[in-house]
Amino acid sequence: MFDQAMARIAGRFRRVEPRATARAYLLGLLSRAERKNCWQLAEQAGHDRPGPMQRLLRSARWDADEVRDDVRAYVFEHLGSHEGVLIVDETGFLKKGTASAGVQRQYTGTAGRIENSQVGVFLAYASNRGRALIDRRLYLPEHTWCQDAERRTRAGVPGDLAFATKPALAGQMIVAALDAGISVSWVTGDEAYGQDPALRALLEASGLGYVLAVACTTRVRINQGRTTARADTIADWLPATAWHRQSAGAGAKGPRYYDWAWIETGTDGDRCLLIRRNPDSGELAFYLCWSPNQVPLSELVRVAGTRWCIEECFQAAKGQVGLDHYQVRHWTAWHRHITLAMLALAFLTVLAADATPARPAEPNRHARSTGPIDLTVPEIRHLLGSMLSSPATSVSRLLHWSIWRRHHQATARRSHYQRRLLALPG
């Protein structure tokens, strides 16, 4: 299967040397190497020096955007579903210097504060088969980078690249996915994207429904447009009968049950404000929703719950395939490393999906299951890494330990689920 995944991108390399190096680079990302930078990947591949890996990222002749297109097609081919959702979000890459493309002191959720960092805006695809990153854009700050021609030149930023906000970058990726034939009905994202009216207008013009988080201070129109109020004020007005407890999907400790309410904000029934309330803390979250056709509350809840899939993608990409382990400064090198890491993650995700037997959807199945948990992306990467680092290791021994771990993980999950279900009212 790795050969099949590699064959999809092999034609993007004009010479055999960078093609072979790209294969070694991907195997290194899948290995147990502690850090996935050029030095350690070269060592993992048995090279005498890191030069070939560094040239692959900096000067070899290949187009990272073409490989990105292959990754996107690969993900949709194997994970595509009528329930698929596009998710937009950003993640930070902490840096120490000032020469890396797009770096500046800026807020990043990775650190939870303002830090010297690069910020990448990503598009993920999630379905009931799995989730993976399918596109990326490096955010280029307007004043410190876009208006500094000398700094752009040193970092290899294309001369014709204009400033774009993060929601605008998200819109570019969504349009590119649609142009590539990705068939979806929904888009979701956090407040940084939900607050942008231009992005919402683009989605509506494209016929894509959305469930986008917004701030509590967002003002919306209700009562057929006769009343305008803040979202949190509207939540205070709702009677107890307006709230419905539903699960936003399975979490690490059981079904994620919240109280949900919705209220129409337009005259056609296709636009609404969705409100989520934590049953324990009472904390509220708000979403602006639109769809070409009327949908039930359960569908909006499903899409809202899908947003967390991209956080899981970031965690897996950074923890398993070294998305943030690069040591490059150049614009081209950043996009090349990120794209190859996305392919490595997609490969692991497809392996996990193909290893998981098809089962009917049951909301509380995990509370009753007695077998081991399904193979996950971290477990598959661990097995592959063990085989790459110790080829003589017995496959049966590796599988024995994998089954043992997954049985114990299933026991812990079953306990969490049962505890959560017992805590539910009624």
Side-chain angles (χ1 to χ4, degrees):
M1 289 189 68
F2 179 79
D3 289 339
Q4 293 173 359
M6 188 64 205
R8 299 183 75 103
I9 68 168
R12 304 301 187 185
F13 302 90
R14 300 185 181 184
R15 300 180 58 193
V16 66
E17 292 87 353
R19 186 182 310 133
T21 304
R23 178 186 178 87
Y25 197 96
L26 282 166
L27 287 173
L29 294 178
L30 296 169
S31 73
R32 299 174 66 179
E34 182 179 355
R35 296 290 296 175
K36 311 297 176 68
N37 54 50
C38 287
W39 289 81
Q40 294 208 13
L41 295 184
E43 181 181 2
Q44 174 71 28
H47 294 175
D48 295 330
R49 51 193 173 81
M53 297 291 187
Q54 293 170 339
R55 283 196 298 274
L56 177 71
L57 298 185
R58 181 66 183 268
S59 59
R61 298 182 64 182
W62 62 285
D63 191 329
D65 286 345
E66 292 179 347
V67 175
R68 180 272 322 273
D69 294 343
D70 294 332
V71 173
R72 183 173 55 206
Y74 176 70
V75 168
F76 191 69
E77 177 182 320
H78 289 273
L79 307 181
S81 164
H82 68 281
E83 296 182 348
V85 177
L86 292 177
I87 316 165
V88 292
D89 202 357
E90 63 200 59
T91 189
F93 303 89
L94 302 183
K95 307 296 288 184
K96 293 186 180 298
T98 59
S100 299
V103 70
Q104 73 166 12
R105 286 189 59 80
Q106 55 191 324
Y107 178 82
T108 169
T110 302
R113 58 183 181 273
I114 295 176
E115 286 283 356
N116 194 60
S117 62
Q118 296 170 297
V119 172
V121 181
F122 287 81
L123 182 68
Y125 178 81
S127 72
N128 55 358
R129 293 269 297 158
R131 65 289 310 262
L133 301 173
I134 62 172
D135 205 347
R136 72 286 178 268
R137 296 288 192 280
L138 180 59
Y139 172 67
L140 202 65
E142 182 176 13
H143 300 293
T144 56
W145 277 92
C146 289
Q147 298 178 8
D148 191 333
E150 182 180 352
R151 196 180 192 193
R152 288 166 59 115
T153 300
R154 288 198 303 267
V157 178
D160 59 349
L161 190 73
F163 171 73
T165 64
K166 295 169 186 175
L169 295 175
Q172 293 172 14
M173 293 188 290
I174 292 169
V175 170
L178 296 178
D179 290 344
I182 301 299
S183 177
V184 293
S185 300
W186 292 100
V187 174
T188 185
D190 66 13
E191 290 182 17
Y193 304 91
Q195 296 288 148
D196 189 83
L199 178 60
R200 299 199 305 268
L202 182 149
L203 296 177
E204 293 181 20
S206 302
L208 289 176
Y210 59 76
V211 180
L212 296 171
V214 293
C216 63
T217 56
T218 302
R219 301 188 69 85
V220 296
R221 293 182 177 273
I222 58 175
N223 297 330
Q224 301 292 315
R226 294 188 297 270
T227 304
T228 302
R230 284 174 42 136
D232 52 359
T233 301
I234 294 173
D236 292 337
W237 292 345
L238 295 176
T241 54
W243 297 93
H244 307 273
R245 185 156 297 182
Q246 295 191 19
S247 172
K253 299 181 179 180
R256 295 176 292 153
Y257 280 102
Y258 295 95
D259 295 329
W260 302 84
W262 60 338
I263 184 169
E264 291 184 5
T265 58
T267 59
D268 54 6
D270 299 334
R271 198 179 303 276
C272 72
L273 173 70
L274 177 67
I275 307 172
R276 187 194 73 195
R277 184 177 67 191
N278 188 305
D280 298 322
S281 66
E283 180 184 5
L284 298 175
F286 305 90
Y287 305 84
L288 288 181
C289 308
W290 178 85
S291 63
N293 305 296
Q294 293 189 16
V295 296
L297 173 62
S298 58
E299 179 69 356
L300 299 180
V301 170
R302 181 187 72 84
V303 177
T306 304
R307 190 184 74 79
W308 295 104
C309 290
I310 197 169
E311 301 291 348
E312 296 173 355
C313 286
F314 290 149
Q315 182 180 10
K318 291 181 177 182
Q320 304 300 324
V321 297
L323 185 77
D324 60 343
H325 291 189
Y326 60 88
Q327 293 178 338
V328 298
R329 297 175 176 177
H330 200 268
W331 174 272
T332 298
W334 186 90
H335 284 84
R336 289 181 172 185
H337 169 82
I338 296 297
T339 303
L340 292 174
M342 286 167 46
L343 176 57
L345 177 65
F347 172 68
L348 292 175
T349 304
V350 169
L351 278 181
D354 289 349
T356 302
R359 300 186 183 96
E362 298 179 49
N364 299 321
R365 174 175 60 85
H366 297 312
R368 300 187 300 271
S369 175
T370 57
I373 68 169
D374 296 327
L375 281 166
T376 62
V377 165
E379 182 66 13
I380 289 179
R381 209 280 304 170
H382 173 78
L383 293 173
L384 284 175
S386 298
M387 295 174 66
L388 289 171
S389 61
S390 303
T393 302
S394 168
V395 174
S396 61
R397 182 173 179 272
L398 289 175
L399 292 178
H400 165 78
W401 277 103
S402 174
I403 294 172
W404 183 88
R405 277 192 299 272
R406 290 186 289 119
H407 265 295
H408 281 262
Q409 291 166 344
T411 300
R413 185 178 63 181
R414 184 165 58 251
S415 175
H416 285 308
Y417 268 60
Q418 291 173 347
R419 189 180 302 116
R420 293 286 296 274
L421 290 173
L422 290 174
L424 292 175

